[in-house]
Amino acid sequence: MLIYANLLLLAAFCLPIILGLHIHEYLYFHVLSPGDIRYIFTATQAKDFGGVFNFRYEQIFLVPADPPEACGELNNGVFVQDQIALVERGGCSFLSKTKVIQENGGRAVIIADNAYDNDNLYVEMIQDGTRRTADIPALFILGRDGFMIRRSLEKHGLPWAVIAIPVNVTSIPSYELMQPPWTFW
């Protein structure tokens, strides 16, 4: 019986790695700087558009888009290039936001809910009905998480956070998981 239980546990953690991330599975990233939000955050990937992370970024900038909704031309597109953009939900489709970041050379987009008090409901990001596609990964995070990241950057006068993504949380003992204190896991 113990062998069977271990095989089930192994399958639960290894299959997503072998098969890639699918909808309703989580992807994790670790904010390395600024220190007051040095937590591991949970994200979900877009259901039917966008790419996947083919390797881990040990240190990459998470750049808040300007304007935050990223529905058109970016004022800080030069800073988004070769980095990951933090975008706010609203104003246009998830795919449109992803396309804007991709056109500015971003490696991925993390879209935060615009409900700043949302600390438990993940939105399923779907294609917008157009025939457009996007090649970069598109992730969704809770509104509270996005708000806290942006607030910390503003507090410290920083133009971006430094993150590691994706993070394999199965290799981290539960007592070492640095979870945001405002979010239930």
Side-chain angles (χ1 to χ4, degrees), residues 170-184:
T170 62
S171 65
I172 302 171
S174 60
Y175 63 88
E176 288 183 12
L177 281 176
M178 296 173 288
Q179 306 164 1
W182 56 87
T183 303
F184 293 105

Side-chain angles (χ1 to χ4, degrees), residues 1 10 13 20-22 40 51-52 60 101 104 107 121-122 125 128 139 145-148 151 154 181 184:
M1 190 65 161
L10 181 65
F13 290 121
L21 184 70
H22 300 284
I40 295 176
V52 296
I60 191 165
I101 299 307
N104 280 273
R107 299 228 177 138
L121 180 65
Y122 289 90
M125 296 192 306
D128 61 7
L139 306 173
D145 291 346
F147 172 77
M148 297 301 278
R151 187 177 84 171
E154 290 170 7
F184 293 105

Side-chain angles (χ1 to χ4, degrees), residues 89-111:
R89 179 182 181 196
C92 61
S93 71
F94 295 119
L95 177 58
S96 293
K97 296 170 184 303
T98 304
K99 291 289 292 175
V100 167
I101 299 307
Q102 180 175 303
E103 290 165 1
N104 280 273
R107 299 228 177 138
V109 61
I110 296 176
I111 301 171

Side-chain angles (χ1 to χ4, degrees), residues 17-74:
I17 296 167
I18 295 168
L19 301 177
L21 184 70
H22 300 284
I23 189 65
H24 302 300
E25 293 179 7
Y26 298 112
L27 185 141
Y28 302 92
F29 66 95
H30 186 188
V31 173
L32 305 172
S33 173
D36 63 334
I37 54 165
R38 193 175 168 94
Y39 300 114
I40 295 176
F41 292 86
T42 304
T44 58
Q45 198 159 11
K47 179 179 179 181
D48 56 5
F49 68 89
V52 296
F53 285 96
N54 293 319
F55 55 92
R56 175 177 156 84
Y57 294 99
E58 297 291 334
Q59 289 190 355
I60 191 165
F61 293 146
L62 178 62
V63 181
D66 180 23
E69 292 180 341
C71 291
E73 186 175 336
L74 295 179

Side-chain angles (χ1 to χ4, degrees), residues 37 91 130 142 153 179:
I37 54 165
T130 64
L142 299 173
L153 293 176
Q179 306 164 1

